[in-house]
Amino acid sequence: MKRLLVGLVRIYQYAISPYLGRRCRYFPSCSEYAVEAVQKYGACKGGWLGVKRLCRCHPWHPGGYDPVP
């Protein structure tokens, strides 16, 4: 399951993200954060952390440096 989630994020990074440009307000980017979280915590907890991060990535949030816990 971990490999599937990481694969889906990698497909997004290489196939879709280049056409959208840099939009993430955080460092590391939301997709890199999701990959790190899934690799570190597994599919369930890492996937949940990635979803929570995506929900925080909007124009009204200041962003900044936010590493995987």
Side-chain angles (χ1 to χ4, degrees):
M1 191 58 133
K2 276 172 45 170
R3 291 170 63 182
L4 175 67
L5 289 177
V6 170
L8 290 173
V9 173
R10 294 289 184 210
I11 289 171
Y12 163 78
Q13 286 177 326
Y14 295 115
I16 298 170
S17 182
Y19 297 107
L20 298 177
R22 289 205 39 99
R23 293 179 175 217
C24 190
R25 308 179 72 68
Y26 290 99
F27 180 80
S29 69
C30 292
S31 57
E32 281 299 321
Y33 181 94
V35 169
E36 266 187 68
V38 168
Q39 289 175 341
K40 185 173 182 178
Y41 292 110
C44 289
K45 185 175 179 181
W48 176 245
L49 288 171
V51 167
K52 282 179 31 177
R53 169 71 175 273
L54 282 174
C55 290
R56 289 192 314 252
C57 193
H58 55 76
W60 300 282
H61 196 278
Y65 181 66
D66 182 28
V68 176

